[in-house]
């Protein structure tokens, strides 16, 4: 669910990724001020979700007030961190994994 401000997207994509590297389009949506609810196709698994703005509805760009993503069934553990890419990216992944774990616990 995305709650848009007045500066909303006329058209946007919701994308998901399991590894944070390869992204797949979950849905193509038309925005409007207020809440837009998107039903995700069954069987789609993602650890990360992002909005990719395709077309602005106003001259002010894209302004999201709130975005909510609900966890379904528990996901398998993420792939092990690559030691060649240690650093901030791995720290960010760790924070997202903790948030994902909290969502999974709340869903249970």
């Amino acid at each position: 669910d995305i709650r848009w401000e007045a500066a909303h997207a006329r058209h946007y994509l919701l994308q998901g990724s399991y590894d944070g590297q390869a992204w797949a389009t979950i849905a193509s949506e038309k925005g409007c001020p207020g809440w837009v609810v998107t039903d995700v196709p069954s069987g789609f698994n993602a650890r990360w979700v992002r909005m990719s703005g395709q077309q602005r509805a106003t001259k002010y760009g894209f302004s999201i007030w709130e975005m909510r993503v609900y966890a379904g069934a528990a996901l398998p553990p993420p792939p092990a961190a690559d030691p060649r890419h240690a650093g901030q990216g791995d720290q960010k992944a760790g924070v997202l994994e903790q948030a994902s774990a909290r969502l999974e616990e709340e869903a249970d």
Side-chain angles (χ1 to χ4, degrees):
D1 302 348
I2 296 180
R3 182 177 172 194
W4 292 97
E5 294 195 59
H8 61 281
R10 183 171 309 230
H11 177 245
Y12 64 96
L13 303 175
L14 284 179
Q15 298 178 319
S17 174
Y18 177 70
D19 61 6
Q21 302 288 324
W23 293 88
T25 297
I26 301 168
S28 176
E29 290 283 355
K30 292 181 182 178
C32 64
W35 284 106
V36 175
V37 177
T38 302
D39 292 322
V40 175
S42 64
F44 189 88
N45 289 320
R47 188 164 297 280
W48 292 276
V49 176
R50 69 182 181 188
M51 184 284 298
S52 176
Q54 302 297 298
Q55 183 180 17
R56 298 183 309 207
T58 69
K59 65 181 180 179
Y60 300 106
F62 305 108
S63 184
I64 295 174
W65 182 264
E66 183 177 357
M67 184 171 180
R68 299 185 297 197
V69 178
Y70 300 96
L75 294 173
D82 187 337
R84 296 173 294 168
H85 302 290
Q88 191 169 16
D90 292 333
Q91 292 170 358
K92 184 188 296 182
V95 169
L96 291 172
E97 288 168 17
Q98 292 170 7
S100 178
R102 283 195 302 274
L103 285 173
E104 290 171 6
E105 288 173 6
E106 290 174 8
D108 292 337

